[in-house]
Amino acid sequence: MKTSQYYISTLREAPSEAVIASHKLMLRAGMTRKLANGLYTYLPLGLRSLNKVEKIIREEWDNIGALEFKPTVIQPGEIWKESGRWDTMGAQMLTPKNRAEQDMVVSPTAEEAYTATVRDGLTSYKQLPVNLYQINTKYRDEIRPRYGVMRGREFLMADAYTMNADDASLDESYNAYEKAYFRIFKRLGLKIIPVKADSGAMGGSGSEEFMVESPIGDDTLIICSKCGYAANVEKAACAPDVATGNDGKPQIKTDLPYEDVATPNVFSIADMEKFFNASPKTFIKALIYQAKNVGIDLSSDKYGKNFKLVKDPAGNHYPVAYFCVLIRADLDVNEAKLASALKASEVVLADDNEVLQYAGAPHGFVGPISAKVPLVVDYSVVTTADDGSFVSQMHDAITGAGKEGFHIKHVEPLRDFTPFLNADVRVVKEGDLCPNCGNPFHTTKGNELGHIFKLGQKYTKSMNVTCLDVNGKAMTPTMGCYGIGVDRTLASIIEEHHDDKGIIWTMSTAPFQVCIVPIKYDGQMKEVADKIYDELTRAGIEVLLDDRNERPGVKFADMELIGIPLRITVGDKSLPNVEFKPRDAAEAELIPAEKAAAKAEKFVRDALAELNAE
């Protein structure tokens, strides 16, 4: 391709709103242009690179037996109501009506479309597993789109889905996709950190994220440098630490009954430390939370007599419920973990009026003994043994009395209160100990590029998917889901591979692999440039010949900004030699012009071979 036939639209400066490298460079290099907030058009150069990312994903998914399909972007609202996510996805889901006043969805993801599509043709276990993928446009009405295509409202997602006969088959599919992810990101030239993750609104029993380390990452990663444990902070667990008393020694069980202590103007943990002259590790913090779309069993006999909860019309969940969360006072509640434990779409701290209603006291005096709602107790207070019995982790504790102006002391968990639900809802921090090897954690920021889920029967059950098993009886399949953000992956390649001059594309994703820059496109320089161009084109190398009537400095600056991996410069002063300069090299090398095409072809193929190596 010659530049005279191509649309190249570079910028000297990026718009002021662009603050990260990939956003700046994609605009400056003419890869994208902003159409509206969170909406970006891909220009020809950017689309070539985007298509290469897609191609690598397709190749690796094809290699594990996945088949491509193409669901519609506009989906009927009915299938989202079947799955239960019509009410749980929230305001990010765009839900227009068609002219017949039917609810529609501009696809934010395709689990429902896949499930409904496969359901209509599935009759026997012999058809399983059904392994399909799609690379399609998605829309989520992000409240704060930012960083260009890194977090836009419209974006390209590669999503694969498997429907499996049983958990063993699902494990096989999940593991095959996990290996494919490592292959994909290696071929793209990205250093990936796989981490345990929260399944969030997707649901299911387990998931893993594929992260790239980034200072502007949305996620905090908890990492053990000794054994390799890595998890998103939303999911991370740590080794239990012993609750200690004021003397720094393990707490001792007390036989004293709990008793009220008047604590006027003592509201915060800091106030309690001063008043009781005690360590926060001796306090139990109690917080009232409102949870939405709760999926755990809250039948009246378990939930208590004070509140009769009613499920949604489909019987999938309780629209709203309240809980009292107990945690050691020096720790914080991880709301993502709490939502996961409750199988809730969202959890938020209750407001002042709700706290009074459900705890009988204002915030600061809430306690477990008089709370009118179920107790969710963190492992820092109580743990569950292998046999299912509860074990106290704290003794002789201090907590709120459930009435304004009072706390209680000598509290013994399990004697004075019993968990409704015992779960890990603690925020893990840097310095906490790895649950596998006991090494202290460190933290880093990361961006999620891919996520794989074991969905289980979340969608097949709610959407009534069945087929006949080997005995001719109806069975419900299980599912897996595997996604990669294509735009975000492209932007992350730039984040990881750039310098102060521009992008440094990996060979597998560069819009062109070689650029030829004649100082002037006439005379002998034109003849030599055309000859090298023709030889490389015949060899199947993607080459861009800069035949513009521009100053050499402009040409060089544009090619470095665009990030083409190899530049061959043809100048009258160096002929019969030409300059051979990899984009990331400090200096150019002079080589005979007649050897340039062969050397460039080898350079390209060697770079691709290294990326593609097992």
Side-chain angles (χ1 to χ4, degrees):
M1 183 66 68
K2 295 181 179 180
T3 54
S4 58
Q5 303 168 300
Y6 211 76
Y7 181 63
I8 292 183
S9 176
T10 56
L11 304 173
R12 285 175 178 250
E13 300 291 337
S16 58
E17 68 186 65
V19 295
I20 67 171
S22 60
H23 192 187
K24 292 177 181 178
L25 291 172
M26 291 182 84
L27 292 171
R28 287 191 57 217
M31 300 280 165
T32 58
R33 285 291 179 265
K34 181 179 175 181
L35 194 61
N37 196 22
L39 302 175
Y40 285 82
T41 298
Y42 277 93
L43 298 179
L45 280 171
L47 189 59
R48 283 181 70 98
S49 290
L50 187 73
N51 288 341
K52 288 189 173 187
V53 175
E54 283 189 55
K55 182 175 181 289
I56 288 172
I57 295 170
R58 279 191 171 92
E59 288 173 352
E60 293 301 329
W61 285 0
D62 288 347
N63 285 342
I64 61 170
L67 303 172
E68 187 168 7
F69 80 126
K70 190 179 185 304
T72 60
V73 174
I74 305 298
Q75 301 174 4
E78 284 79 4
I79 61 175
W80 286 77
K81 292 172 184 177
E82 281 186 67
S83 73
R85 289 206 296 177
W86 178 266
D87 298 315
T88 62
M89 281 293 285
Q92 66 177 335
M93 189 164 74
L94 189 61
T95 55
K97 289 182 181 290
N98 64 13
R99 66 177 64 195
E101 290 298 303
Q102 295 169 320
D103 289 320
M104 308 299 288
V105 174
V106 182
S107 175
T109 183
E111 286 72 37
E112 283 79 3
Y114 166 83
T115 307
T117 300
V118 174
R119 172 182 61 186
D120 293 342
L122 185 65
T123 58
S124 168
Y125 75 96
K126 295 178 182 179
Q127 295 167 273
L128 300 175
V130 180
N131 185 359
L132 305 181
Y133 75 89
Q134 50 101 33
I135 301 179
N136 215 343
T137 300
K138 304 292 175 62
Y139 184 89
R140 294 178 191 169
D141 198 2
E142 295 278 357
I143 192 169
R144 281 184 60 223
R146 61 194 187 278
Y147 303 150
V149 301
M150 190 72 82
R151 183 173 288 279
R153 287 195 166 111
E154 182 180 293
F155 51 94
L156 194 66
M157 279 289 293
D159 292 304
Y161 305 94
T162 60
M163 197 171 287
N164 303 80
D166 51 35
D167 289 343
S169 173
L170 175 58
D171 286 345
E172 288 181 12
S173 296
Y174 187 91
N175 293 337
Y177 271 99
E178 182 182 41
K179 291 176 182 176
Y181 272 52
F182 283 111
R183 286 275 299 151
I184 288 165
F185 292 121
K186 182 183 183 301
R187 291 180 64 186
L188 294 172
L190 286 168
K191 298 174 183 175
I192 289 296
I193 304 172
V195 302
K196 293 177 174 62
D198 178 61
S199 296
M202 293 292 290
S205 61
S207 71
E208 186 174 17
E209 289 174 330
F210 293 81
M211 295 277 189
V212 286
E213 195 169 351
S214 170
I216 52 89
D218 292 327
D219 298 277
T220 299
L221 309 184
I222 304 294
I223 295 173
C224 175
S225 56
K226 184 176 180 181
C227 73
Y229 175 94
N232 193 310
V233 71
E234 294 179 343
K235 183 71 173 179
C238 64
D241 54 337
V242 177
T244 55
N246 292 342
D247 56 3
K249 296 180 180 179
Q251 296 170 5
I252 300 173
K253 186 175 181 179
T254 180
D255 293 325
L256 295 173
Y258 69 81
E259 64 178 88
D260 288 355
V261 179
T263 52
N265 300 318
V266 175
F267 303 99
S268 67
I269 300 300
D271 293 338
M272 290 176 67
E273 285 185 74
K274 292 178 182 177
F275 184 89
F276 289 100
N277 190 27
S279 162
K281 289 189 175 185
T282 63
F283 306 148
I284 298 174
K285 181 164 55 178
L287 301 165
I288 301 296
Y289 271 91
Q290 180 200 79
K292 296 182 179 179
N293 304 305
V294 177
I296 63 171
D297 181 19
L298 298 178
S299 52
S300 60
D301 59 324
K302 290 186 177 182
Y303 193 77
K305 297 179 181 180
N306 294 301
F307 302 97
K308 303 290 186 183
L309 293 183
V310 179
K311 286 190 174 183
D312 71 304
N316 294 319
H317 55 260
Y318 302 89
V320 179
Y322 291 84
F323 300 87
C324 181
V325 179
L326 305 182
I327 192 168
R328 204 175 68 207
D330 61 315
L331 305 175
D332 294 314
V333 173
N334 183 322
E335 294 181 353
K337 284 186 180 179
L338 177 60
S340 178
L342 298 174
K343 298 182 181 178
S345 64
E346 181 184 6
V347 295
V348 294
L349 283 168
D351 64 29
D352 291 344
N353 290 331
E354 292 167 332
V355 172
L356 280 172
Q357 180 180 0
Y358 297 116
H363 179 74
F365 301 101
V366 176
I369 294 171
S370 58
K372 303 174 184 177
V373 290
L375 303 180
V376 179
V377 183
D378 179 64
Y379 289 163
S380 60
V381 179
V382 170
T383 57
T384 302
D386 292 340
D387 63 1
S389 62
F390 292 131
V391 179
S392 292
Q393 293 294 101
M394 296 182 67
H395 299 287
D396 200 10
I398 299 169
T399 189
K403 55 184 177 181
E404 187 170 3
F406 286 87
H407 285 77
I408 51 177
K409 63 181 182 179
H410 305 314
V411 174
E412 278 293 325
L414 304 183
R415 183 194 71 181
D416 299 328
F417 64 83
T418 303
F420 170 79
L421 178 66
N422 187 212
D424 171 18
V425 296
R426 165 183 179 170
V427 172
V428 175
K429 306 183 296 296
E430 185 163 287
D432 286 337
L433 303 182
C434 174
N436 294 339
C437 69
N439 188 61
F441 283 135
H442 72 272
T443 62
T444 188
K445 288 289 186 181
N447 268 324
E448 176 195 339
L449 303 187
H451 205 155
I452 58 178
F453 302 84
K454 292 181 182 180
L455 297 175
Q457 296 180 332
K458 173 181 170 66
Y459 297 93
T460 50
K461 271 190 175 179
S462 63
M463 297 181 69
N464 195 29
V465 180
T466 61
C467 64
L468 297 181
D469 66 13
V470 67
N471 298 312
K473 296 182 179 180
M475 60 167 282
T476 301
T478 189
M479 275 178 61
C481 170
Y482 321 90
I484 296 176
V486 183
D487 311 79
R488 180 174 284 198
T489 296
L490 185 71
S492 294
I493 294 168
I494 299 172
E495 289 289 325
E496 191 169 315
H497 300 280
H498 72 274
D499 61 16
D500 57 356
K501 295 178 182 178
I503 303 167
I504 306 174
W505 285 112
T506 58
M507 191 63 75
S508 56
T509 55
F512 293 94
Q513 296 162 334
V514 179
C515 63
I516 301 170
V517 181
I519 299 301
K520 287 186 179 180
Y521 192 59
D522 61 13
Q524 189 180 7
M525 286 181 284
K526 179 180 183 302
E527 290 178 13
V528 173
D530 285 347
K531 186 174 186 298
I532 297 171
Y533 175 80
D534 290 340
E535 289 179 22
L536 286 171
T537 301
R538 285 195 299 270
I541 302 301
E542 299 168 357
V543 57
L544 182 66
L545 173 57
D546 196 343
D547 61 347
R548 294 177 294 172
N549 184 23
E550 290 281 3
R551 290 178 291 108
V554 172
K555 293 182 178 184
F556 294 157
D558 278 351
M559 294 304 114
E560 288 181 321
L561 175 60
I562 293 168
I564 297 175
L566 177 63
R567 186 182 80 212
I568 297 173
T569 304
V570 182
D572 55 356
K573 292 183 179 179
S574 32
L575 286 173
N577 296 318
V578 294
E579 291 185 1
F580 186 95
K581 185 181 182 301
R583 172 63 181 83
D584 57 356
E587 300 292 337
E589 174 189 0
L590 277 178
I591 64 171
E594 65 269 18
K595 295 183 178 180
K599 186 176 176 68
E601 181 185 354
K602 184 177 187 304
F603 179 85
V604 171
R605 300 203 188 286
D606 286 350
L608 289 173
E610 184 177 348
L611 289 168
N612 293 336
E614 293 289 345

